[in-house]
Amino acid sequence: MYSSSIIIAVDGFSSCGKSTMAKQLSKILNYVFVDSGAMYRAITLYFMQHEIAINDPQMVVRALENIQLAFKINPESSANEIYLNGENVESKIRSLAIAERVSDIAAISAVRSFAVKQQQQMGINGGIVMDGRDIGTVVFPQADLKIFMTADLEIRVERRFKELALQNKDITKEEVRENLAMRDHIDSNRADSPLKMAEDARVLDNSYLHQDEQLELALRWAYEKINLKNLF
């Protein structure tokens, strides 16, 4: 790890490839990667399994008190995967059913407060790459490098469709398009920590970029910040 470890915040819309790019970036820099979206998906899974009424504040708070989240390295894939109350739920949280509910549940103030506190603790010593919706604006407003990722909606639809079709051959592009449009609206318009670009963020539009090209660009930005910090 570099002598001066920085905090890298990666925000953006759904299906922009945030997690993929953030994982690659963290691996090259030997930083910790945290998928904040996985945390909200795991909470959503718990709420769905236990039929938590999201319009009942007391029920929500009690539910959160019974949730323990952790990331552990999968020795087979070397991936940092999410555990919910001791169970690896990485595969369970990637379904369309979770995707259809996660934005509503992530919009609940108590849920966001619960997740943000854990996320901030994870990055207290730097050397971290975290992706999500409000990392550069709420979780780490002091982040050394803030990247805001975006892409054309139809390109995001195509990417997400290919991913979900591997799990569900009956899914349609229209279902995916409606889900992404709904999540974009909820994420951007929620009262608590809405999705928005930090004023000092760098925009990475990867509509027509290959993964290698976007990674090269992000790495260049990261090295600039690391080298600058090493001067002081």
Side-chain angles (χ1 to χ4, degrees), residues 8 12 19 27 38 59 91 142 176-177 183 202 219:
I8 301 175
S19 294
K27 185 175 182 179
M59 193 174 187
S91 60
Q142 80 282 17
V176 175
R177 184 179 293 104
R183 292 183 65 187
R202 298 192 180 192
L219 273 172

Side-chain angles (χ1 to χ4, degrees), residues 39-57:
M39 298 174 71
Y40 288 109
R41 283 172 173 266
I43 295 169
T44 299
L45 175 63
Y46 183 92
F47 276 35
M48 292 174 66
Q49 289 176 333
H50 294 82
E51 299 182 348
I52 304 301
I54 63 174
N55 58 349
D56 183 336

Side-chain angles (χ1 to χ4, degrees), residues 120-147:
Q120 290 174 331
Q121 188 62 34
M122 291 175 184
I124 196 168
N125 295 316
I128 190 169
V129 181
M130 188 177 296
D131 80 299
R133 303 291 192 282
D134 62 350
I135 310 305
T137 54
V138 176
V139 182
F140 295 122
Q142 80 282 17
D144 302 275
L145 173 60
K146 301 175 185 179
I147 300 174

Side-chain angles (χ1 to χ4, degrees), residues 83-199:
Y83 280 69
L84 169 63
N85 294 338
E87 177 190 358
N88 187 327
V89 293
E90 188 68 33
S91 60
K92 291 183 179 181
I93 64 171
R94 303 300 173 183
S95 69
L96 183 61
I98 296 293
E100 289 177 339
R101 295 291 308 281
V102 65
S103 289
D104 285 329
I105 291 173
I108 301 171
S109 293
V111 171
R112 298 207 71 79
S113 178
F114 171 82
V116 167
K117 287 179 181 177
Q118 295 194 36
Q119 291 158 9
Q120 290 174 331
Q121 188 62 34
M122 291 175 184
I124 196 168
N125 295 316
I128 190 169
V129 181
M130 188 177 296
D131 80 299
R133 303 291 192 282
D134 62 350
I135 310 305
T137 54
V138 176
V139 182
F140 295 122
Q142 80 282 17
D144 302 275
L145 173 60
K146 301 175 185 179
I147 300 174
F148 190 87
M149 294 183 66
T150 185
D152 292 343
L153 176 60
E154 289 307 311
I155 290 175
R156 291 192 287 133
V157 168
E158 186 65 30
R159 291 172 181 169
R160 184 66 172 149
F161 174 73
K162 288 180 179 179
E163 178 185 348
L164 291 175
L166 295 175
Q167 306 170 24
N168 180 6
K169 294 182 179 180
D170 295 327
I171 197 168
T172 66
K173 286 187 179 180
E174 185 56 35
E175 288 178 301
V176 175
R177 184 179 293 104
E178 290 178 359
N179 175 252
L180 286 182
M182 174 196 70
R183 292 183 65 187
D184 286 352
H185 177 76
I186 294 174
D187 291 342
S188 301
N189 292 279
R190 64 186 177 223
D192 192 340
S193 308
L195 168 64
K196 63 179 182 179
M197 185 176 72
E199 292 183 1

Side-chain angles (χ1 to χ4, degrees), residues 12-28:
F13 294 97
S14 300
S15 300
C16 281
K18 298 187 301 298
S19 294
T20 298
M21 197 274 287
K23 287 176 186 176
Q24 294 172 329
L25 196 58
S26 65
K27 185 175 182 179
I28 292 174

